[in-house]
Amino acid sequence: MHLIQKMMLTIIAVSISSFGIANAQEPGIDQWGIVNDSDPMTDERIATAGVATADGLNIIFQCSRGNFGAVIIPYLPGLKMDFITMESQVPVAWRIDSDNAVTETWQVQQPRGQSNNYSVISLSSENFASRVMQGEEKLTVRVHGITSSVTLENASQYVSQAMQACGLES
């Protein structure tokens, strides 16, 4: 793995610990939203868009320090155990609306820094984000045998903001 990818994984893993389920524009269960913050040392914008599934997964798209990433992280204690693995990569399947499912290899991120959770990080985040923004009704993901679906209502609006924070076309 390249040094830049390792740095990006670390930045995202530390940042996702602040991702919460809260109020209006913030992500919630089956409710897309975005949290805008800034790096306290550089004032650089950190944009974290995402949604929580009722089944216990956070699906996150983040721009931090100029790096864009997509992450799936469990928030229910029972699921956190399912994410513990000795593997460095795992298959993740996702499906938009009634399109064919896509199965990709995602990087496993072990707990570090402020985060005490294992997570999986897309190796093709921009493609995943673009497909999510093109969807109309539903995103379904399967990781570690856990299958979960969420609405795509407002997903495009918030995911595009995270991409734009990194200077990416949405």
Side-chain angles (χ1 to χ4, degrees):
M1 183 184 312
H2 295 46
L3 177 61
I4 293 175
Q5 284 180 314
K6 285 184 180 182
M7 288 172 41
M8 182 179 84
L9 297 178
T10 301
I11 291 165
I12 290 172
V14 170
S15 298
I16 59 179
S17 65
S18 65
F19 182 77
I21 300 170
N23 39 30
Q25 192 176 340
E26 292 185 0
I29 294 177
D30 213 26
Q31 174 186 314
W32 287 85
I34 191 163
V35 175
N36 286 294
D37 204 354
S38 63
D39 182 302
M41 297 300 287
T42 65
D43 296 326
E44 187 174 359
R45 180 178 172 201
I46 301 170
T48 306
V51 64
T53 72
D55 303 320
L57 300 177
N58 284 321
I59 302 169
I60 301 167
F61 297 89
Q62 184 181 69
C63 175
S64 177
R65 297 185 187 164
N67 295 303
F68 182 76
V71 181
I72 299 174
I73 183 171
Y75 67 86
L76 292 179
L79 292 185
K80 291 178 182 183
M81 294 301 294
D82 291 336
F83 269 64
I84 296 173
T85 180
M86 297 303 289
E87 302 297 325
S88 62
Q89 297 181 332
V90 296
V92 173
W94 52 269
R95 183 178 188 199
I96 306 293
D97 299 329
S98 60
D99 294 349
N100 291 332
V102 174
T103 301
E104 300 176 324
T105 299
W106 286 36
Q107 184 73 38
V108 173
Q109 178 67 51
Q110 296 183 1
R112 58 172 64 165
Q114 296 174 351
S115 174
N116 60 357
N117 295 318
Y118 279 78
S119 58
V120 292
I121 301 172
S122 175
L123 299 175
S124 56
S125 299
E126 290 178 45
N127 178 57
F128 181 47
S130 294
R131 295 286 305 277
V132 165
M133 290 187 302
Q134 293 169 5
E136 296 177 7
E137 295 177 21
K138 180 173 71 170
L139 166 64
T140 302
V141 297
R142 179 175 293 150
V143 57
H144 294 297
I146 303 158
T147 303
S148 194
S149 297
V150 292
T151 180
L152 286 176
E153 182 179 351
N154 297 320
S156 181
Q157 170 188 349
Y158 296 118
V159 174
S160 68
Q161 288 178 40
M163 290 184 78
Q164 290 168 1
C166 274
L168 301 172
E169 295 288 325
S170 55

